[in-house]
Amino acid sequence: MEKPHLLIVDGMALLFRSFFASAAMKQYIRLDDGTPTNGVQGFARHVLTAQNLMKPTHVAVCWDMGMHTFRNDLFEGYKANRPAPPEEMLPQFDMAKDVSEIIGWKNFGISGLEADDLIGSMIEKWKGDANITVISGDRDLLQLLNPATTLAFTKKGYMEYDTYTEQRFREEYGITPKQFAEVKAFMGDASDGYPGVKGIGPKTALQLIQTYHSIDGVLAALDELKPAQRMKINENVEMLKLSHQLATINCDAAIEAELNELVMPTFNETVVAQLENRGLRLITRHARSLGL
């Protein structure tokens, strides 16, 4: 019997991507009352296209629930340098979740966790029961790859993805997916606001893990490193370990659902009516163009 195919959507990643792609051209697609909907309509169209392209049997949409997470408790500077969302985007966060519910996609979000943590926890929960595809733009998720999981990174428009399997990752990086968080710990992440080891970039970070397999392995072999590398690491050991905590996706979150609750919904006339009553006609037109 063929396994179910679960599509996990990084909702916030698609919402932001859709918003900025159209906001750059001032295309906010406002409702009659002036509320912008460009991010929401782009998000829904993106997922509908993926549904048509990838033919999943089940779907889940994961969301961040506010800016503060357990990582901010670990490190005050975590994501502190990110600008606030544009004013036109603010009403679209709740609207996107509402649209997801109308269409029948089940939303997931837990206060204090990021969407990445929910995605990781879903993969951990269902990797033995389903083939899983994750849609996102966040390469931090590479650490979640396993034989049952494929990552589809947004690339261009609604149709093009840069797709990673565990095999492709191992061939390109020469490490296991779980070791990717240790690479991130050394190189840091400017977008997320943690420095890693200052002076060690992506290439050196990867080489260190390829050679010594882990942070502990590197620390145990410091005498083998070049003096400059040894000094940089010695000066930043605590930040290195903290950066590893920040880079590691939590896969232990409680997912309060069973797989059979995530069956792909039918885009029927009731859904069409609800969306069009809210002025979201671009979504329904797009669904019809896909034959849904």
Side-chain angles (χ1 to χ4, degrees), residues 69-230:
T69 71
F70 75 93
R71 292 179 178 87
N72 298 99
D73 295 330
L74 291 172
F75 181 53
E76 189 176 348
Y78 185 73
K79 292 189 177 180
N81 58 348
R82 291 197 178 183
E87 183 181 348
E88 291 86 356
M89 195 169 185
L90 297 180
Q92 300 195 56
F93 294 117
D94 288 339
M95 191 190 306
K97 297 184 187 74
D98 291 342
V99 166
S100 185
E101 280 190 16
I102 289 169
I103 295 174
W105 304 324
K106 190 170 178 66
N107 293 317
F108 291 85
I110 298 177
S111 179
L113 297 179
E114 298 180 46
D116 289 4
D117 301 312
L118 300 185
I119 293 168
S121 299
M122 286 182 182
I123 290 172
E124 188 63 28
K125 181 172 183 174
W126 288 313
K127 64 185 179 183
D129 302 318
N131 294 316
I132 300 170
T133 301
V134 180
I135 295 177
S136 180
D138 184 358
R139 289 182 176 258
D140 289 352
L141 297 175
L142 286 167
Q143 65 189 269
L144 301 177
L145 283 167
N146 60 53
T149 301
T150 298
L151 297 177
F153 295 116
T154 50
K155 191 175 178 182
K156 185 179 179 183
Y158 296 133
M159 299 287 288
E160 291 189 30
Y161 293 92
D162 186 14
T163 302
Y164 270 83
T165 60
E166 182 181 25
Q167 181 179 350
R168 178 186 171 188
F169 177 85
R170 286 175 179 268
E171 289 172 355
E172 288 190 10
Y173 286 83
I175 58 174
T176 67
K178 284 190 176 180
Q179 290 173 305
F180 188 64
E182 308 216 35
V183 174
K184 293 278 294 185
F186 276 102
M187 61 184 272
D189 189 318
S191 175
D192 285 344
Y194 61 89
V197 176
K198 291 180 181 179
I200 290 187
K203 185 177 178 181
T204 301
L206 180 58
Q207 288 172 342
L208 287 170
I209 298 303
Q210 286 172 336
T211 304
Y212 299 105
H213 313 301
S214 68
I215 291 169
D216 287 342
V218 174
L219 295 177
L222 283 178
D223 289 345
E224 299 177 20
L225 302 184
K226 297 174 184 177
Q229 288 180 346
R230 184 164 60 244

Side-chain angles (χ1 to χ4, degrees), residues 25-75:
M25 296 173 283
K26 306 296 183 185
Q27 294 178 346
Y28 293 109
I29 319 174
R30 297 181 185 274
L31 301 178
D32 290 344
D33 65 1
T35 303
T37 68
N38 57 319
V40 171
Q41 301 214 55
F43 152 74
R45 291 158 74 189
H46 209 131
V47 180
L48 288 168
T49 303
Q51 178 180 323
N52 192 56
L53 186 67
M54 300 176 183
K55 309 298 182 189
T57 56
H58 298 68
V59 64
V61 184
C62 296
W63 301 97
D64 296 335
M65 300 297 286
M67 294 288 289
H68 191 91
T69 71
F70 75 93
R71 292 179 178 87
N72 298 99
D73 295 330
L74 291 172
F75 181 53

